[in-house]
Amino acid sequence: MQRLTVKVAKPYDVVMERGLLARTGELALEVTAPCKVCVVTDENTHGLFSETVSGSLASGDFDVYKITFPAGEETKDIAYFGKLLEFLADNEFTRSDIMIALGGGVIGDLTGFAAASYLRGIKFIQIPTTLLAAVDASVGGKTAINLTAGKNLAGAFHQPSLVIYDPETAEHLTHEIFLDGLAEAAKSGVIADKDLFDYIMISDDPPFSEFVTRLVDSSIRVKASLVEQDEKDTGMRQLLNFGHTSAHAIERLSNFDITHGSAVAMGMLIASKAALVEKWSRTDCYTPIKTFLIKYGYRMDPGFSPEQLAAAASIDKKRHGDVVSVVIPLEIGECALMDIPIDQLVDFFKAGM
Ligand code: GLY
């Protein structure tokens, strides 16, 4: 079993191995005594994994309570957040009880925010079941729900007590959902791990489980290192936003028809082309990133003009005052933050498209 410790104020482990879902109870006992546990799933993960996880928890003497929500981004809202808190209160959960998020980013964010809020904070365990959640959202303690005005506008920093990843879960993902996670893994490579990016580009059809384990292990190492330096996201951690200024604009303009990973892939392409044209990079990062998009069959053209993207990006959370922080690749494996004035954003997009 691979084990990595995320050394934040309250350190926690990420454990990874095929078949770990069936050992959830034993692993949970590393971070708590037997207690009540609220397992949160969506309609997809409930059918696939809930029985294995709950059975293992019951054999570890946990008192298991299960709640299942509809699958999809709409679940990350204040109504379901309220339902989850009421469920905990109705079942008399106390501060020594725990929650488990068994699902993708939506379930992880919703459960994490409920865990941060209920009784002013109880422990929770992340069991990501999508590649996207495994390589990014399950680690780092960002929890949130969406408001009518936008995504992730209410939330808290609340680190999990443990993250359990079972690569077998990736075998249940559609190709499109798998590509979402792969884009974030490639992003980790571009910002801080050239070997990971090279592995994604040149590995010759390795066994799927080996491929997924490498993506998750290396991406989490990149993320853990940045989160350890900047837990509350005021500096270095923002490097994780490579490709995300464009991605969030593309997602919003498409009414979220374009998925996050696909938008991140196009966002990396735009940022790397702008960096090449403007001579901000030391080496050409655009060509390898373009080759990545082609190799895995990502969409290349967002279908929006530089003016539309600039307008959407100017209302992004990454704006502070009259500038937006954009991540620029210096070379594959090293990126830097750069402030772009709002009135120059359209030039950034023109250079990148
Ligand atoms: N997903 C970026 C972060 O956790 O900071």
Side-chain angles (χ1 to χ4, degrees):
M1 180 167 72
Q2 280 159 265
R3 185 180 285 267
L4 162 74
T5 303
V6 185
K7 299 182 203 82
V8 284
K10 276 194 199 156
Y12 55 95
D13 286 352
V14 180
V15 290
M16 206 178 310
E17 190 175 75
R18 209 177 150 78
L20 275 195
L21 290 190
R23 291 173 56 193
T24 303
E26 162 203 335
L27 293 165
L29 287 172
E30 292 183 4
V31 297
T32 179
C35 59
K36 287 184 184 172
V37 52
C38 174
V39 179
V40 185
T41 52
D42 67 23
E43 281 155 356
N44 296 332
T45 57
H46 175 71
L48 289 169
F49 312 119
S50 178
E51 215 176 292
T52 307
V53 167
S54 303
S56 171
L57 287 162
S59 7
D61 278 342
F62 286 94
D63 193 4
V64 183
Y65 294 74
K66 294 193 257 185
I67 184 163
T68 301
F69 292 115
E73 190 69 30
E74 293 71 30
T75 294
K76 228 175 88 173
D77 82 343
I78 200 137
Y80 288 109
F81 175 66
K83 277 189 188 155
L84 187 48
L85 294 178
E86 295 293 355
F87 181 81
L88 296 169
D90 288 348
N91 290 294
E92 300 178 1
F93 271 63
T94 69
R95 277 201 177 141
S96 49
D97 297 319
I98 67 164
M99 302 181 77
I100 290 186
L102 177 60
V106 167
I107 291 299
D109 279 7
L110 176 72
T111 306
F113 190 33
S117 312
Y118 185 68
L119 303 179
R120 300 200 180 88
I122 65 171
K123 286 182 180 173
F124 83 116
I125 294 173
Q126 288 272 21
I127 308 186
T129 58
T130 63
L131 185 59
L132 185 60
V135 299
D136 185 30
S138 62
V139 172
K142 279 190 182 172
T143 73
I145 55 170
N146 303 327
L147 300 181
T148 311
K151 279 184 73 168
N152 297 330
L153 292 187
F157 285 99
H158 187 56
Q159 301 286 350
S161 298
L162 179 69
V163 180
I164 300 171
Y165 183 60
D166 182 342
E168 216 171 304
T169 53
E171 286 159 22
H172 298 272
L173 302 176
T174 62
H175 185 60
E176 188 186 34
I177 302 284
F178 178 78
L179 285 186
D180 265 350
L182 180 66
E184 287 281 358
K187 174 210 76 179
S188 305
V190 177
I191 60 178
D193 186 348
K194 182 175 182 313
D195 287 348
L196 169 61
F197 187 80
D198 290 348
Y199 176 77
I200 291 171
M201 292 306 292
I202 61 183
S203 60
D204 191 16
D205 209 13
F208 186 63
S209 182
E210 181 188 309
F211 186 59
V212 166
T213 303
R214 170 71 197 268
L215 299 183
V216 176
D217 182 63
S218 297
S219 301
I220 289 182
R221 282 176 200 280
V222 168
K223 180 152 188 183
S225 153
L226 292 169
V227 169
E228 285 164 7
Q229 296 171 63
D230 176 23
E231 190 171 345
K232 295 285 163 69
D233 200 21
T234 55
M236 293 294 283
R237 182 171 177 164
Q238 291 167 25
L239 291 176
L240 291 164
N241 292 334
F242 176 49
H244 283 59
T245 300
S246 307
H248 289 155
I250 293 168
E251 284 179 271
R252 203 172 313 124
L253 288 168
S254 77
N255 279 327
F256 297 93
D257 281 348
I258 298 180
T259 62
H260 181 65
S262 176
V264 167
M266 287 185 272
M268 294 194 291
L269 195 66
I270 292 170
S272 59
K273 185 164 180 199
L276 180 68
V277 170
E278 301 291 352
K279 299 190 170 45
W280 295 325
S281 324
R282 274 185 226 123
T283 59
D284 171 10
C285 300
Y286 170 65
T287 304
I289 289 173
K290 185 174 172 192
T291 310
F292 162 73
L293 268 77
I294 293 168
K295 174 174 162 108
Y296 288 98
Y298 286 96
R299 175 176 173 157
M300 309 280 287
D301 177 5
F304 302 106
S305 68
E307 290 76 11
Q308 285 175 301
L309 289 170
S314 69
I315 52 167
D316 196 273
K317 281 204 299 301
K318 291 178 287 305
R319 174 174 176 170
H320 44 101
D322 283 337
V323 297
V324 171
S325 267
V326 175
V327 183
I328 297 299
L330 301 179
E331 56 186 54
I332 298 294
E334 190 182 345
C335 284
L337 287 168
M338 189 170 160
D339 282 344
I340 299 196
I342 292 293
D343 59 7
Q344 289 170 28
L345 261 182
V346 72
D347 297 328
F348 168 80
F349 284 108
K350 279 182 180 162
M353 294 175 75

